[in-house]
Amino acid sequence: MKVCGWGKYPVIESNVKQLRNIETAQELYNSGTDFIPYGNGRSYGDSALADNILACNKYDYFLSFDNRDGTLHCQSGAMLSDILTAFVPKGWFLSVTPGTKLITVGGAIASDVHGKNHHIEGCFSSCVEEMELLLPDNRVVKCAKSDELFKATCGGMGLTGVILTAKLKLKKIPSSTIEQTTIKTKNLKETFEAFEAYSHLPYSVAWIDCLAKEPNIGKCLLMVGDFCKRGKLKYEPKGGLGIPFEFPSISLNKASVSLFNTLYYRKAPEGISEQKVDIDSFFYPLDSIGNWNRIYGRKGFTQYQFILPKERSYDGLKKILDTISKSGKGSFLAVLKLYGKANDNYLSFPIEGYSLALDFKIERGLFRLLDELDRIVLEHGGRIYLTKDVRVSSEAFAAGYHKLKDFRALRMDYKMDKHLNSLQSRRLGL
């Protein structure tokens, strides 16, 4: 059957087998064909694509929950959205969540996803107490935080084994309402100053106008916030109209992106404003638009996300935003986030600094522009995010990840390289 990532590029033919029990995965290992685990298809590029795919999204039972400390034991195919529906009314929330709730727990671990609170809480792996992993020799092993298998699996893109179950520590919340403060800035200097001024708050994220030119490069709407101290505990997932068909590619161009950016920037009043919003509006604004990836047309799109160390973030971001603005290949989505210290995992993306994520439709000249952005990222000591990637070169990737050699060695020791591969892992020699 035809499969693809969220970016709808590339689309390939794959043999898909559904994970129903451990024996399903063991049969795949024993067959001698290599494969890659696949969650809910929200990785943007080719990291979960291969000739043979093990779909894990039906392996999704909650196994137990300890209401005293918020420890949830669940199978790897459980969705973050299901966790929210079940536990927000009980006063518990995900300790770390990315910008979509439509991913599986296994996918969150494999990508070691991060959220608006990385500068406080770190990556998703920080709330994983333990997990069960099915290795290529058919052993089921329990991995704790100090284990090398844990460090390789969190951020390891499904290349170290089949994640079967995980114990997650949820976060106690007093209400399900967020007190949000929006700060409107006029340039990158003001944006950085605002991030630092509000870094004591647990959640922060900024939308940037990536087509703005000097002196307004880096102007943004920075949203920061925290859960209200009092209020109701309820969770009603937001649904709405979806995108019914793929937009014509020509509809997304410099003029339409520029118009959108202008209107979006104007939606917030000047200076600082405050409002109370619900969980979906603050954490998952795009999830309420079904099939929003169709906006980018039949050829699909890619999300380019990089991170720069803090001391070099300002100069690097200014250079990258200037390069994008001059190219005219703008993005509706340009998200800037602040990060805390890196963890010990081999391939986890975050380092202490700032990251920018941008969506680009697939079109002629795009990859040449991204190659140029890669060069600037590496020049400033940064790295590229595997979960969003579909085209980075093995050399550019390796230059940003200093534990790659250890990851490759561990894969060979456990013969993972013989059984678990994706289009991305082959392209990058993981």
Side-chain angles (χ1 to χ4, degrees):
M1 64 180 291
K2 290 187 183 299
V3 294
C4 62
W6 186 241
K8 300 170 77 71
Y9 175 84
V11 180
I12 67 167
E13 284 285 345
S14 291
N15 301 310
V16 179
K17 198 162 191 174
Q18 194 76 49
L19 178 64
R20 299 287 184 185
N21 48 49
I22 294 176
E23 287 74 21
T24 315
Q26 289 175 328
E27 286 171 10
L28 262 179
Y29 278 141
N30 294 336
S31 70
T33 59
D34 61 354
F35 65 96
I36 193 73
Y38 186 99
N40 197 41
R42 288 290 174 138
S43 296
Y44 282 71
D46 57 356
S47 60
L49 300 182
D51 291 339
N52 299 290
I53 283 173
L54 180 64
C56 302
N57 58 331
K58 303 296 184 188
Y59 196 70
D60 60 351
Y61 284 110
F62 295 161
L63 303 174
S64 66
F65 180 68
D66 188 334
N67 197 47
R68 295 167 299 179
D69 64 0
T71 300
L72 170 66
H73 189 200
C74 63
Q75 292 180 331
S76 61
M79 298 275 287
L80 300 192
S81 55
D82 292 336
I83 295 175
L84 296 174
T85 300
F87 293 102
V88 168
K90 301 178 190 298
W92 297 96
F93 186 67
L94 295 160
S95 299
V96 173
T97 179
T100 175
K101 60 187 175 182
L102 303 177
I103 65 169
T104 63
V105 167
I109 293 172
S111 292
D112 205 7
V113 295
H114 47 270
K116 297 174 176 64
N117 61 346
H118 186 275
H119 62 294
I120 303 287
E121 298 285 353
C123 290
F124 193 81
S125 55
S126 66
C127 69
V128 179
E129 297 293 300
E130 180 184 281
M131 64 179 141
E132 287 183 315
L133 192 66
L134 179 65
L135 297 175
D137 62 6
N138 283 329
R139 282 185 301 140
V140 176
V141 295
K142 287 186 179 179
C143 307
K145 284 185 188 295
S146 59
D147 296 339
E148 293 307 307
L149 274 174
F150 185 98
K151 296 174 185 174
T153 300
C154 297
M157 308 311 295
L159 296 169
T160 61
V162 179
I163 301 168
L164 297 173
T165 70
K167 288 184 178 177
L168 312 178
K169 188 65 75 70
L170 303 186
K171 169 183 180 176
K172 193 73 176 170
I173 52 173
S175 79
S176 54
T177 303
I178 313 295
E179 288 182 323
Q180 174 181 305
T181 300
T182 302
I183 304 100
K184 191 172 188 174
T185 71
K186 295 177 181 175
N187 53 48
L188 193 60
K189 182 173 181 293
E190 286 189 11
T191 297
F192 270 63
E193 289 172 349
F195 261 111
E196 296 301 324
Y198 288 91
S199 61
H200 60 286
L201 289 176
Y203 300 105
S204 63
V205 65
W207 167 86
I208 276 193
D209 182 347
C210 64
L211 286 180
K213 298 182 182 299
E214 287 286 14
N216 299 119
I217 280 183
K219 70 178 183 180
C220 85
L221 302 181
L222 170 63
M223 281 75 73
V224 301
D226 195 2
F227 287 93
C228 293
K229 297 287 188 290
R230 296 185 189 84
K232 294 181 180 177
L233 285 166
K234 64 177 183 178
Y235 181 65
E236 297 175 354
K238 281 195 169 179
L241 295 176
I243 305 299
F245 54 83
E246 286 160 334
F247 281 16
S249 182
I250 197 171
S251 64
L252 187 64
N253 52 49
K254 183 178 179 180
S256 60
V257 172
S258 181
L259 176 62
F260 171 86
N261 286 1
T262 299
L263 295 176
Y264 193 84
Y265 184 70
R266 285 180 181 172
K267 79 169 191 171
E270 297 298 321
I272 299 171
S273 55
E274 296 181 346
Q275 61 186 131
K276 293 184 178 179
V277 298
D278 58 48
I279 283 175
D280 276 12
S281 299
F282 187 78
F283 290 100
Y284 316 109
L286 282 175
D287 283 348
S288 62
I289 308 172
N291 298 314
W292 64 261
N293 54 350
R294 290 178 174 172
I295 291 172
Y296 292 89
R298 193 174 298 277
K299 292 181 180 177
F301 73 107
T302 186
Q303 185 170 102
Y304 184 76
Q305 185 166 9
F306 63 90
I307 190 164
L308 302 175
K310 202 165 191 178
E311 65 275 13
R312 304 184 73 179
S313 287
Y314 181 83
D315 290 340
L317 275 166
K318 195 165 186 179
K319 198 166 185 178
I320 285 171
L321 288 170
D322 184 53
T323 302
I324 293 171
S325 179
K326 287 176 179 172
S327 78
K329 297 185 187 301
S331 167
F332 289 123
L333 186 77
V335 175
L336 182 67
K337 285 197 289 196
L338 171 66
Y339 291 71
K341 293 187 182 302
N343 60 31
D344 291 333
N345 302 333
Y346 292 174
L347 298 184
S348 286
F349 168 69
I351 56 177
E352 188 170 12
Y354 286 86
S355 89
L356 184 65
L358 309 112
D359 287 349
F360 294 101
K361 70 175 181 179
I362 301 295
E363 63 177 332
R364 183 179 297 176
L366 173 63
F367 286 3
R368 192 165 58 248
L369 168 66
L370 300 185
D371 287 343
E372 173 63 11
L373 300 187
D374 286 348
R375 189 189 64 74
I376 300 172
V377 169
L378 295 178
E379 185 179 277
H380 290 79
R383 57 170 57 160
I384 309 298
Y385 191 17
L386 278 177
T387 304
K388 311 293 179 66
D389 166 61
V390 74
R391 35 61 57 192
V392 72
S393 71
S394 58
E395 294 79 11
F397 171 75
Y401 286 83
H402 307 304
K403 295 179 181 175
L404 178 58
K405 186 178 175 182
D406 297 330
F407 183 77
R408 286 169 169 158
L410 182 140
R411 289 244 301 152
M412 291 180 68
D413 287 347
Y414 284 92
K415 300 189 185 317
M416 296 161 179
D417 58 323
K418 308 294 184 191
H419 295 273
L420 295 153
N421 284 290
S422 63
L423 297 188
Q424 183 184 67
S425 73
R426 293 192 183 285
R427 173 166 50 86
L428 300 180
L430 300 179

